[in-house]
Amino acid sequence: MAEISDKLVKPQGMDDVHFMKQALQEAQRAMDEEEVPVGAVVVMNGKIIARGHNMTEKLQDPTAHAEMIALTAAFNALGSKYLPEATLYVTLEPCPMCAGALYWSKIGRVVYGADDSKNGYRKVAGDRWPFHKNTELSYGCCAEEGARLMKDFFQQKRSPWPVVVPLHHPKNSYHAIYTRSPSLRARCVRTTHRHSYHADSPW
């Protein structure tokens, strides 16, 4: 059985960055819906044929990970259960379940962004290759952006108040994503009134 170190390939250029940015947009959608911010896209012949983001809370389904949603959409779009000519871009290292689904899909290439030492496939697989023998794996593409979304999401979850920043704060356009959530807006408005923060910005 091949070892992971024998199969790793560094991201190959601007195309990888472009498509990973699309996956990050899907992760942003998940965050806006109060889901763990992971997003994925499936690409074939330079075009996105499927998209997905975490929907485990919305569907109350622990298997509804971004990769699973995107793979199912790709199978339906192509009318095929195999994807040997396709590439999956995902913002976070796939978990063991998703690695198994990618194995059975015979996908040609997987590109992931941030590492996941807690729930990633390497926690179970170790140095063993979890994907199909013909699958290539690239890693680290836009890793900082994906990791930052995850870190900020869980920081916000641990906080009794949503993260809201002053208008003059240099990162206000980034942190405003938390205030788009309808379930948090009422508390944000109270914070806005008391501290002159802007809790409902259109950024």
Side-chain angles (χ1 to χ4, degrees):
M1 183 177 293
E3 293 187 355
I4 289 178
S5 59
D6 298 329
K7 303 283 286 186
L8 291 176
V9 179
K10 285 285 188 179
Q12 295 182 353
M14 292 306 297
D15 282 349
D16 282 349
V17 173
H18 169 73
F19 290 121
M20 187 59 79
K21 293 289 187 183
Q22 296 296 308
L24 285 165
Q25 289 183 14
E26 290 297 315
Q28 180 69 70
R29 288 185 61 189
M31 196 169 202
D32 291 345
E33 296 169 9
E34 299 185 55
E35 300 273 3
V36 175
V38 181
V41 297
V42 178
V43 176
M44 183 179 287
N45 297 323
K47 295 182 179 180
I48 295 174
I49 63 171
R51 296 173 177 267
H53 60 274
N54 251 358
M55 300 180 71
T56 58
E57 297 300 327
K58 181 177 181 179
L59 300 179
Q60 287 297 290
D61 179 356
T63 71
H65 289 191
E67 300 97 317
M68 305 294 279
I69 301 295
L71 284 173
T72 299
F75 299 146
N76 290 336
L78 297 177
S80 172
K81 62 182 179 180
Y82 298 129
L83 303 170
E85 304 299 323
T87 298
L88 178 127
Y89 293 83
V90 60
T91 58
L92 190 69
E93 177 185 339
C95 72
M97 175 189 69
C98 293
L102 290 163
Y103 171 90
W104 289 110
S105 77
K106 300 183 180 180
I107 198 159
R109 185 166 177 247
V110 175
V111 183
Y112 75 80
D115 292 335
D116 185 359
S117 60
K118 183 177 180 181
N119 295 309
Y121 68 86
R122 289 180 296 174
K123 184 175 181 180
V124 173
D127 290 333
R128 293 172 296 173
W129 187 247
F131 306 108
H132 190 269
K133 63 181 181 179
N134 294 328
T135 299
E136 291 185 354
L137 175 66
S138 299
Y139 63 97
C141 184
C142 303
E144 291 185 3
E145 292 95 322
R148 185 169 60 239
L149 281 173
M150 293 290 290
K151 180 179 179 181
D152 288 349
F153 175 82
F154 285 108
Q155 281 184 341
Q156 185 270 328
K157 282 292 186 182
R158 288 190 292 267
S159 173
W161 287 84
V163 177
V164 186
V165 297
L167 284 174
H168 65 270
H169 193 288
K171 293 185 179 180
N172 56 8
S173 61
Y174 183 77
H175 288 294
I177 56 178
Y178 299 134
T179 67
R180 293 176 183 165
S181 168
S183 65
L184 299 179
R185 189 163 292 134
R187 285 183 291 168
C188 291
V189 169
R190 290 199 298 271
T191 305
T192 301
H193 177 74
R194 187 165 59 247
H195 297 296
S196 298
Y197 288 4
H198 197 300
D200 205 9
S201 171
W203 303 315

